[in-house]
Amino acid sequence: MEQQEKVEQVPRADDALNPISPRVAVLRRVAGPLMSVGLLVLALWGLRQFARHVTYQEIREYVASVSRTRLLLAIVLTMLGFGVMSLYDRFGLKSIGRSMPWQRVTLISFISYAFSNAVGMSFLVSGSIRYRFYLQNGLSTAEIAKLVLYCTLSFWLGLLALTGVTLLVEPLPALVQIGEWQIHMSRWRIPLAVALAAVPLAWIFGGFIRKPIKLWRWRVLLPRPLSALRQVLVGALDWWLAAAVMYVLMPDSLHASFGHFLAIFVIAQIAGLISHVPGGLGVFETMMLACFHVTNDKHLAAPILGALVMFRVVYYLMPLCAATMLVLQREARGLRRQSLWSPWFTGLLPSFFAGLTLVSGAVLLFSGATRALPERMEVLRDVLPLSVLEVSHFMASVIGMLLLILARGLQRRLDVAYWATLVLLVVGAVFSLLKGIDYEEASLLALLAMALGPAHRLFYRRASLLSASFSVGWIVAILAVFGCATWLVMFSYKHVEYSNSLWWEFSFHQGASRALRALVGAAAAGLLFALATLIKPQRLRRDPPSEAELERALPLIRNFHSAQAHLALMGDKHLLFDADGKAFLMYDTGGRSWVTMGDPVGEDEDARRELVWSFMEQCERAGGWPVFYQVSPADLDMYLEVGMNLLKIGEEARVRLEDFNLDGKSKKTLRGTVNKLSRDGLRLEIVPADAVAPLLPRLKQISDAWLGDKNAREKRFSLGSFDPRYLVRTPMALIWQGETLLAFANLFLTETREEASLDLMRFVPEGPSGIMDFLFIELMQWAKQHGYRWFNLGMAPLAGLTSRRQAPLWNRFGALVFGRGERFYNFQGLQRYKDKFDPEWEPRYMAVPGGIALPVILTNVASLISGGITGVVRR
């Protein structure tokens, strides 16, 4: 097996003790998108400077003049480039000791890079796509993380190596001017080239050091030199082919060698990638125009802009369309065959449809901002009234803005967004034909509507569109599209002199007036939606539940299949109900972690699923990390659907009561204990909830004595504590010896007789040996006599995690703590104790967001359960 690079984070204890303040969290979420918007605005300003003498018609003429031979060569080079990109995944799989059919690896690589190239943020976009693909193919979360890291490093190492070498060999223009700004590139060319080339060289030769290198919080074990060299060469070849695609589309009048062009291309690509603007849109084009001195040669500006447009279409848009068609085809085939691919695509399709709807909205806005073809307008002039043309143009742009907004609703699986999108796509296709016979965009909208039509079952949420939260990134994307449309209006009609009367001019050939009115209509639609969203009151309550809310939850708790839902009655967790009150979930916050206890409670599956989405959106608005703690296998699809990662945290012990008895050799010890204590006069009494209050003083004495003897403190969140308000809401099991009360436990009993359990169990320290066994046996026999199916013994933390070499990193860490963490918690002893009742063990999971915040999340959860950070290190 090939040596792989390993990266591990070293958590710090003060991360949990000093949680990030809300202001800092908001600043972190806003800073990146705002920087991208700022760079996009700057890039559009630069484009305007370089293209001030270029007309829209000149760009269109150059695009039409490019020969089919050049276009075909560019397509072939693009296909070769995506073929090279598949080597990232193939070599990455080899580095972690896994293998897959090359056809499947190529498909995964093509789809992930087609979307990440077009959308930007390659690490996040391609990483999330790879995660879902490879998870369905048997890779663990840790293996996928290593694979994504390998691909991302190869991508950047190749770019840095190619840029560094090219800058050393090929000189850049001595001076680059953007408006009034001047950049003296000759001054920093050599230092920059050396610095960029040094990174991949250090990566290659660092492989001779076989000890992990500590970088801030990370420990990095570099790959062996040959493996590192292969990473760099594959990445460099990928970027070389991308530059070749652009080069064959450039005009002959450029008079630049491929080496000189390559130096400019890679610098422009680095600028686009660093900006985090989707696809480097605007930033890449501005850098290309600046480095080719189009301000000094005005005749070059239009051909280069035309070549850039064609490059976007060939290298970005065509692969994106092909990847989309592959996804839809695979989904249809998976649904027919019920194959392994179907669950993954079904979960991913809403995001695909959301992305395509966003693109469709942008197409309508851009179309409304540019000139229509004169020959098509002549046809419309003979067959269509002017009023129909004007209304169609205006409404097409308004629909474009609405589609940008509805795309978020589709991503959130809203039913109302599905129907609205379907209608607007059809209507938008009609308006596209009526405003300029734009059959190209009409076909796009019609095809998307046909693909979306059969997918209604994926959009099951009945929530209002106004309740959907719009992240900062999503708002920035909408503003960026609208900003680009505004720039297109200014560019397309820059030779039209502006006047107030322009707004009221109506004619078949007055495109500037129509474009301005359509732009204002789109802006008005967006502002009205934003205003409606702001006026709608936000439900962001974090108050403890009132008595009325607990009474409202009580019927749902008693009829739920899991008795652990009774933990809501403690009153220490916030309750979030769905709109109809058919389900709720309980949660609490620790640091930035918003942690639910168990699955949503309720029998209505749609209401429970909706609660998961509502909780995610509430966390998003508050800048918190959503965490679903101790969830069952039956509901895992709800958490995978919203993009959560799953960690196994232990196993829950449940005794099937119809098979439970004390017969046989294995139960000899338990049988003897029960018989002995029965002869000593111990007996069980079940007290109903309404009769518990008078017993509380005596129960308090036993509880205090038990805590003092164990040198323990009260737990919370997932365990009960001695709170009179809590204890009077549940029945109580009492163990008597004559008139002396020896032990008690409050009971969780479901009205459906599906499950019985207990929570707070305390006994007197001087009581007879075996009193806990006696209490459990007597309760199970009582529950069996009263028709209960299961008796829940609770969870054994970290039980069932394996430490095999191929097991995920979390499993191996958990198994290590389970085996050697007895100083902090009696992990093995608890599992052994429960195991003697012959239970059936069922795994329990924690659903967490992706990223590197896991150590902080785990600390926050442990702090919630232990009643504070100091309780984590105490028994």
Side-chain angles (χ1 to χ4, degrees):
M1 183 186 300
E2 200 171 327
Q3 179 67 36
Q4 61 187 7
E5 65 270 24
K6 298 180 180 178
V7 182
E8 298 179 357
Q9 188 183 20
V10 183
R12 300 189 315 185
D14 59 352
D15 286 336
L17 297 175
N18 299 293
I20 300 174
S21 68
R23 290 185 179 180
V24 175
V26 171
L27 183 61
R28 286 186 176 183
R29 288 186 295 149
V30 172
L34 288 183
M35 184 184 72
S36 297
V37 170
L39 290 173
L40 176 61
V41 171
L42 184 63
L44 292 177
W45 172 82
L47 275 177
R48 186 173 182 273
Q49 296 294 314
F50 290 120
R52 61 179 178 271
H53 300 295
V54 179
T55 64
Y56 181 72
Q57 187 62 31
E58 288 174 338
I59 297 175
R60 178 177 286 178
E61 287 175 357
Y62 177 79
V63 172
S65 68
V66 175
S67 66
R68 293 184 178 180
T69 303
R70 285 192 175 191
L71 185 59
L72 182 61
L73 180 58
I75 293 174
V76 171
L77 289 171
T78 299
M79 295 171 64
L80 289 175
F82 276 89
V84 170
M85 291 180 203
S86 69
L87 297 179
Y88 292 144
D89 291 73
R90 295 178 68 179
F91 291 145
L93 286 168
K94 187 177 180 181
S95 72
I96 61 175
R98 301 297 294 264
S99 62
M100 285 174 54
W102 69 268
Q103 300 94 330
R104 185 170 295 181
V105 174
T106 302
L107 174 68
I108 296 172
S109 173
F110 173 73
I111 291 176
S112 62
Y113 279 114
F115 276 88
S116 65
N117 285 351
V119 176
M121 299 176 290
S122 59
F123 180 78
L124 296 177
V125 176
S126 65
S128 61
I129 293 176
R130 281 188 174 90
Y131 174 80
R132 292 183 176 272
F133 258 119
Y134 285 120
L135 194 66
Q136 289 291 331
N137 284 273
L139 270 67
S140 67
T141 303
E143 289 173 330
I144 297 171
K146 293 176 183 177
L147 176 61
V148 171
L149 181 61
Y150 181 95
C151 296
T152 305
L153 284 173
S154 302
F155 178 87
W156 276 100
L157 288 170
L159 177 59
L160 296 179
L162 187 64
T163 305
V165 173
T166 306
L167 290 180
L168 287 172
V169 177
E170 291 285 342
L172 286 172
L175 181 68
V176 172
Q177 185 168 349
I178 305 176
E180 301 298 326
W181 297 353
Q182 292 184 347
I183 304 174
H184 296 274
M185 301 185 71
S186 59
R187 297 178 180 177
W188 50 262
R189 179 176 70 87
I190 297 300
L192 178 64
V194 172
L196 294 179
V199 176
L201 285 175
W203 183 259
I204 294 171
F205 290 103
F208 290 105
I209 303 174
R210 302 317 304 154
K211 294 182 179 180
I213 301 173
K214 186 175 181 180
L215 298 175
W216 190 42
R217 295 188 186 186
W218 305 86
R219 291 192 183 96
V220 182
L221 178 61
L222 299 181
R224 297 189 182 278
L226 287 179
S227 178
L229 178 62
R230 184 169 59 193
Q231 280 185 274
V232 174
L233 291 178
V234 170
L237 180 58
D238 169 25
W239 285 106
W240 188 93
L241 286 169
V245 174
M246 178 73 186
Y247 187 69
V248 300
L249 296 173
M250 294 294 281
D252 294 330
S253 57
L254 186 64
H255 301 302
S257 66
F258 180 70
H260 181 73
F261 172 83
L262 181 61
I264 295 174
F265 178 86
V266 290
I267 287 293
Q269 284 288 357
I270 289 178
L273 289 169
I274 293 176
S275 71
H276 284 294
V277 176
L281 185 65
V283 180
F284 172 71
E285 284 79 1
T286 301
M287 289 297 297
M288 292 291 289
L289 291 170
C291 292
F292 280 116
H293 289 289
V294 297
T295 51
N296 298 332
D297 190 351
K298 299 176 183 178
H299 299 291
L300 268 180
I304 291 179
L305 280 171
L308 287 166
V309 170
M310 296 193 68
F311 176 69
R312 289 286 182 184
V313 172
V314 172
Y315 198 78
Y316 292 89
L317 186 58
M318 290 177 62
L320 177 64
C321 294
T324 302
M325 295 304 296
L326 280 173
V327 168
L328 296 177
Q329 179 189 15
R330 284 277 179 175
E331 167 63 7
R333 186 183 303 174
L335 290 175
R336 289 195 302 268
R337 299 181 180 179
Q338 295 298 314
S339 68
L340 179 65
W341 296 91
S342 180
W344 181 86
F345 280 111
T346 300
L348 191 63
L349 271 179
S351 296
F352 273 97
F353 282 126
L356 293 175
T357 302
L358 188 72
V359 170
S360 299
V363 167
L364 284 176
L365 283 174
F366 296 163
S367 176
T370 53
R371 293 177 180 270
L373 292 175
E375 57 271 19
R376 297 183 184 181
M377 294 302 292
E378 288 295 332
V379 174
L380 287 176
R381 184 174 186 176
D382 296 334
V383 300
L384 203 67
L386 177 60
S387 58
V388 175
L389 174 70
E390 294 286 353
V391 170
S392 299
H393 192 106
F394 181 85
M395 291 304 300
S397 293
V398 172
I399 289 174
M401 174 58 72
L402 294 178
L403 288 177
L404 298 183
I405 296 170
L406 288 169
R408 178 62 166 176
L410 290 180
Q411 188 188 43
R412 294 295 186 179
R413 299 174 180 256
L414 297 180
D415 175 75
V416 64
Y418 166 83
W419 288 112
T421 302
L422 201 59
V423 171
L424 290 182
L425 287 173
V426 176
V427 175
V430 174
F431 284 146
S432 296
L433 295 174
L434 294 178
K435 75 181 180 66
I437 317 181
D438 296 324
Y439 59 86
E440 301 91 347
E441 62 194 62
S443 300
L444 172 65
L445 299 177
L447 287 173
L448 179 55
M450 293 171 62
L452 185 62
H456 182 217
R457 62 183 179 82
L458 301 176
F459 305 95
Y460 50 79
R461 297 182 62 202
R462 305 292 179 180
S464 168
L465 182 62
L466 297 177
S467 66
S469 61
F470 282 73
S471 63
V472 175
W474 197 271
I475 295 173
V476 166
I478 294 176
L479 292 177
V481 171
F482 183 77
C484 290
T486 304
W487 183 89
L488 278 173
V489 171
M490 298 170 62
F491 174 75
S492 300
Y493 302 101
K494 60 184 176 183
H495 298 298
V496 177
E497 186 176 352
Y498 176 80
S499 65
N500 291 333
S501 62
L502 194 63
W503 294 93
W504 310 108
E505 293 182 7
F506 300 90
S507 71
F508 276 94
H509 297 292
Q510 188 50 269
S513 299
R514 276 193 296 274
L516 285 174
R517 289 191 292 267
L519 195 65
V520 171
L527 289 174
L528 286 174
F529 179 83
L531 183 62
T533 304
L534 291 174
I535 292 175
K536 181 179 176 65
Q538 299 291 329
R539 295 185 304 166
L540 193 61
R541 293 179 62 251
R542 294 173 57 185
D543 301 325
S546 63
E547 288 296 327
E549 287 178 313
L550 292 175
E551 289 298 322
R552 182 185 178 191
L554 195 55
L556 298 172
I557 294 170
R558 289 174 174 171
N559 287 284
F560 194 54
H561 61 269
S562 174
Q564 300 302 312
H566 286 75
L567 286 169
L569 300 178
M570 285 181 62
D572 65 336
K573 291 174 279 293
H574 316 292
L575 302 184
L576 177 65
F577 290 87
D578 76 300
D580 298 324
K582 296 179 179 179
F584 75 90
L585 58 76
M586 54 187 123
Y587 71 96
D588 202 356
T589 58
R592 283 186 62 190
S593 301
W594 290 48
V595 189
T596 74
M597 177 58 219
D599 300 301
V601 178
E603 295 302 314
D604 190 298
E605 286 301 312
D606 290 339
R608 298 175 69 238
R609 198 173 293 269
E610 176 62 28
L611 270 174
V612 174
W613 281 100
S614 299
F615 183 73
M616 294 285 293
E617 290 169 351
Q618 181 168 296
C619 293
E620 189 174 274
R621 286 193 293 268
W625 297 319
V627 181
F628 298 88
Y629 179 73
Q630 205 167 314
V631 297
S632 63
D635 291 324
L636 295 185
D637 63 309
M638 292 196 301
Y639 310 110
L640 292 173
E641 195 173 76
V642 295
M644 305 294 283
N645 299 329
L646 298 174
L647 301 176
K648 184 178 179 181
I649 57 172
E651 294 184 340
E652 189 173 78
R654 301 172 75 212
V655 178
R656 189 185 296 271
L657 293 176
E658 63 180 358
D659 300 330
F660 176 75
N661 57 64
L662 294 179
D663 299 334
K665 186 176 180 180
S666 62
K667 303 289 179 59
K668 180 180 179 181
T669 303
L670 287 175
R671 191 168 57 247
T673 299
V674 172
N675 291 337
K676 177 182 181 300
L677 294 181
S678 297
R679 289 193 299 269
D680 292 342
L682 271 68
R683 58 183 174 85
L684 171 71
E685 180 187 2
I686 305 297
V687 178
D690 54 9
V692 171
L695 296 169
L696 287 177
R698 300 181 69 177
L699 302 181
K700 176 66 173 172
Q701 294 177 359
I702 297 175
S703 177
D704 292 344
W706 185 87
L707 288 172
D709 181 66
K710 301 294 183 181
N711 192 26
R713 57 186 292 175
E714 295 281 13
K715 305 294 183 182
R716 56 185 298 270
F717 190 68
S718 63
L719 299 169
S721 61
F722 195 96
D723 184 343
R725 295 171 298 176
Y726 163 56
L727 295 178
V728 297
R729 298 188 180 109
T730 61
M732 192 70 64
L734 306 176
I735 299 295
W736 298 90
Q737 188 175 32
E739 297 300 320
T740 303
L741 183 59
L742 299 180
F744 71 90
N746 69 314
L747 301 181
F748 293 165
L749 304 175
T750 63
E751 289 189 351
T752 60
R753 309 282 172 153
E754 177 68 18
E755 189 174 81
S757 184
L758 55 79
D759 180 30
L760 190 71
M761 184 176 65
R762 306 281 163 88
F763 55 89
V764 294
E766 65 275 11
S769 176
I771 192 170
M772 285 179 59
D773 294 346
F774 181 84
L775 176 58
F776 274 114
I777 295 297
E778 290 294 303
L779 276 176
M780 281 186 263
Q781 290 179 339
W782 175 88
K784 181 178 180 179
Q785 293 170 5
H786 286 77
Y788 288 89
R789 292 187 60 213
W790 297 92
F791 192 90
N792 194 324
L793 297 173
M795 189 180 72
L798 303 183
L801 276 67
T802 59
S803 58
R804 299 189 186 94
R805 183 178 181 181
Q806 295 299 326
L809 178 63
W810 163 255
N811 285 33
R812 284 180 280 165
F813 173 75
L816 176 67
V817 175
F818 182 80
R820 303 186 181 183
E822 295 296 294
R823 163 66 181 84
F824 304 104
Y825 193 84
N826 188 20
F827 294 104
Q828 296 185 59
L830 182 61
Q831 186 197 31
R832 283 194 301 267
Y833 181 81
K834 295 180 179 182
D835 204 38
K836 67 183 178 181
F837 298 102
D838 290 337
E840 296 182 17
W841 293 94
E842 187 177 78
R844 287 293 178 267
Y845 298 89
M846 181 166 60
V848 297
I852 60 175
L854 181 59
V856 182
I857 290 174
L858 293 175
T859 306
N860 290 339
V861 173
S863 177
L864 278 177
I865 297 171
S866 302
I869 192 65
T870 57
V872 175
V873 296
R874 296 181 59 180
R875 281 185 179 267

